[in-house]
Amino acid sequence: MISNSVFKNTVLFLVLAIVSCGNSAIRQKGSKTEISDAGTLTHKQNDPILCGADNFEKYQSLLANKRIGVVTNPTSIVNYDGNNKKLKNPVHLVDFMLSNKLDVVKIYAPEHGFRGTADAGELIKDGKDSKTGLPIISLYGNNKKPKPDQLKQIDIMVFDLQDVGARFYTYISSLHYIMEACAEENIPLLILDRPNPNGSIVDGPVLEKEFTSFVGMHPIPVLHGMTIGEYARMINGEKWLKNGVQCALEIIPCSNYKRSMSYSLPVKPSPNLPNDQSINLYASLCLFEGTNVSMGRGTEKQFQIYGSPFLPKSDFSFTPGPNLGAKDPVYNGKLCYGEDLSDAPKVNRLELKWLIKAQQETSDKKVFFNSFFSKLAGTQKLQQQIESGMKESDIRKSWEKGLNAFKKMRSPYLIYEN
């Protein structure tokens, strides 16, 4: 049963959304809404890329006189004001909204926390932001989905996180739970979209249902080639939320962006992705998390190197130690041999050659893989294929049917041209 106040807020949201959404349109489904297929947005030559958060004039009216919750982290940066003028200094979205007299009442922080300093998988506690005094609700650990009492006094939720296009990068899992919670509590969700730095890459095995986890919630390949906004449309459209509920969704798209464009992130999306090279190699090297090989956590070249004490001695070695984002890294204080990929050419697919090489050269193949590998891969088949000595080209052929089906499924949800 929807209260009169919630109903009025939802109706007002829809009216404003229809006015503001430009190339997008809203289609109502009962008391829920989703963005309907509106074609793709075109790229204006030589104009700077503006993220959704930079297009303030497109979402200001949606937030006026509303109590706002914000799902955010250090990547939620605003570079332009409401008149498309570049700011002298980048401003965090929360500070920007408060300076424009918007009523932000709560912050919701995903993995790594609001300030982005926590280790991968580290428990993050609720708290208060020292700068603004706003309460912070953790969306990691045992509270991945906001509880109804944590959504009280929220009229609209804003989601602004920088994704990197990999299935096991958990911000899209946080997106799922935020959409589900908002749908259940009849709270509209506004997504401020950002480019996917691996935006044109669609590759890898598609996740099988029995391997569903927080590092893989949906039947998609390892690299999905979508922005957060496009991915939200797919979650809604494919009815992946619990009981098939759908979220009242509005997306503020990026301007002057197309999927094949290079995009260098102005802020690292998490502590262990410090630069463009690590972001490009992330999906390929993250598979090592399911093996006895380190991918550089506890060094200054996270996701740009790999090695272990069980690989043959070579000209390249490293010794992990505690640092920001890795308080107790794998092989802490132990010498690891492996390979430095910090100057390797950019990859345009899920690269398997390093994983296969390491498995072939490790001193004991029986302990190379661990149980986490199949969750990351989304299937047991990849481990079986590598252990059996299958050629990389044949492994890739085994993905083709699933990738073609996924590309067909995702097509209606795309916002940007290639």
Side-chain angles (χ1 to χ4, degrees):
M1 191 72 178
I2 302 175
S3 67
N4 288 336
S5 61
V6 170
F7 178 77
K8 289 177 181 177
N9 283 337
T10 305
V11 171
L12 178 59
F13 175 80
L14 296 179
V15 171
L16 291 172
I18 292 168
V19 171
S20 69
C21 64
N23 286 358
S24 299
I26 297 290
R27 181 175 66 219
Q28 187 170 7
K29 286 193 172 185
S31 62
K32 309 297 180 192
T33 61
E34 64 175 342
I35 294 190
S36 63
D37 184 19
T40 54
L41 298 183
T42 57
H43 165 64
K44 295 181 181 179
Q45 195 69 29
N46 300 323
D47 285 345
I49 295 173
L50 301 184
C51 297
D54 296 323
N55 289 305
F56 185 56
E57 74 284 357
K58 294 184 179 179
Y59 62 90
Q60 181 178 18
S61 61
L62 295 173
L63 301 179
N65 303 314
K66 299 287 178 59
R67 296 169 298 179
I68 306 163
V70 187
V71 183
T72 181
N73 68 5
T75 65
S76 305
I77 295 299
V78 182
N79 287 288
Y80 291 82
D81 66 11
N83 298 311
N84 288 331
K85 291 182 180 179
K86 191 163 187 177
L87 299 171
K88 185 176 181 180
N89 296 303
V91 179
H92 192 278
L93 176 67
V94 170
D95 299 326
F96 180 77
M97 293 167 73
L98 291 173
S99 70
N100 282 278
K101 311 302 180 186
L102 294 173
D103 187 16
V104 180
V105 297
K106 285 183 185 177
I107 294 168
Y108 299 82
E111 184 176 10
H112 306 297
F114 177 44
R115 297 298 177 188
T117 57
D119 286 3
E122 181 180 349
L123 178 64
I124 301 169
K125 297 180 180 179
D126 293 349
K128 182 180 289 188
D129 179 40
S130 59
K131 182 175 182 180
T132 63
L134 292 170
I136 300 174
I137 306 298
S138 171
L139 296 181
Y140 201 67
N142 296 323
N143 189 50
K144 295 179 176 67
K145 177 180 174 180
K147 298 177 177 64
D149 65 309
Q150 294 173 326
L151 294 172
K152 287 182 178 178
Q153 300 180 324
I154 300 296
D155 297 320
I156 185 170
M157 185 73 78
V158 175
F159 189 103
D160 183 20
L161 298 176
Q162 177 63 64
D163 189 45
V164 298
R167 184 182 65 219
F168 33 64
Y169 201 64
T170 60
Y171 295 163
I172 57 174
S173 299
S174 295
L175 172 66
H176 172 107
Y177 284 124
I178 284 289
M179 290 179 66
E180 192 169 275
C182 285
E184 291 170 352
E185 298 300 315
N186 297 299
I187 297 173
L189 177 63
L190 176 68
I191 293 180
L192 305 180
D193 211 7
R194 292 183 179 270
N196 176 351
N198 290 311
S200 60
I201 310 176
V202 178
D203 202 18
V206 172
L207 180 136
E208 298 166 3
K209 186 175 181 180
E210 58 265 39
F211 296 101
T212 301
S213 72
F214 194 61
V215 293
M217 296 189 68
H218 308 123
I220 65 169
V222 172
L223 286 155
H224 54 74
M226 305 177 81
T227 67
I228 281 279
E230 292 172 325
Y231 199 87
R233 295 181 69 183
M234 185 163 65
I235 289 174
N236 243 5
E238 296 301 313
K239 297 186 178 181
W240 285 338
L241 302 178
K242 186 178 180 181
N243 299 321
V245 296
Q246 290 180 300
C247 178
L249 182 66
E250 170 66 3
I251 298 164
I252 304 300
C254 305
S255 301
N256 312 318
Y257 168 69
K258 62 181 180 181
R259 200 175 315 283
S260 58
M261 293 174 64
S262 296
Y263 183 70
S264 180
L265 301 189
V267 178
K268 59 183 180 181
S270 51
N272 287 297
L273 292 181
N275 53 34
D276 293 343
Q277 184 74 345
S278 64
I279 291 167
N280 180 239
L281 294 174
Y282 169 72
S284 300
L285 296 192
C286 192
L287 291 172
F288 279 124
E289 299 266 36
T291 72
N292 65 0
V293 176
S294 162
M295 72 301 302
R297 293 186 192 273
T299 75
E300 297 304 314
K301 290 187 176 182
Q302 307 97 319
F303 290 96
Q304 300 156 80
I305 59 177
Y306 72 89
S308 86
F310 308 107
L311 292 177
K313 290 184 178 180
S314 63
D315 293 336
F316 176 72
S317 65
F318 62 93
T319 302
N323 67 359
L324 182 66
K327 295 182 178 67
D328 186 21
V330 174
Y331 302 130
N332 186 3
K334 295 183 179 180
L335 184 65
C336 297
Y337 291 99
E339 193 168 356
D340 185 352
L341 306 174
S342 57
D343 293 320
K346 185 176 181 179
V347 301
N348 59 5
R349 64 182 188 178
L350 181 68
E351 193 57 73
L352 293 179
K353 61 184 177 183
W354 303 304
L355 178 65
I356 292 173
K357 179 182 178 182
Q359 190 271 342
Q360 291 174 342
E361 294 183 349
T362 193
S363 58
D364 187 351
K365 293 180 175 58
K366 293 180 181 178
V367 295
F368 181 77
F369 290 105
N370 61 51
S371 60
F372 191 47
F373 185 83
S374 292
K375 286 187 176 181
L376 290 170
T379 176
Q380 285 184 334
K381 293 186 181 72
L382 182 57
Q383 177 178 339
Q384 294 166 350
Q385 290 167 332
I386 293 172
E387 289 179 328
S388 70
M390 182 182 287
K391 292 181 180 179
E392 182 178 350
S393 58
D394 290 334
I395 295 175
R396 293 188 178 282
K397 285 180 182 177
S398 72
W399 301 342
E400 288 180 0
K401 183 177 179 180
L403 288 172
N404 289 336
F406 170 74
K407 289 175 183 178
K408 184 177 180 180
M409 178 183 73
R410 80 171 188 150
S411 181
Y413 308 117
L414 300 181
I415 297 171
Y416 310 97
E417 64 180 9
N418 292 325

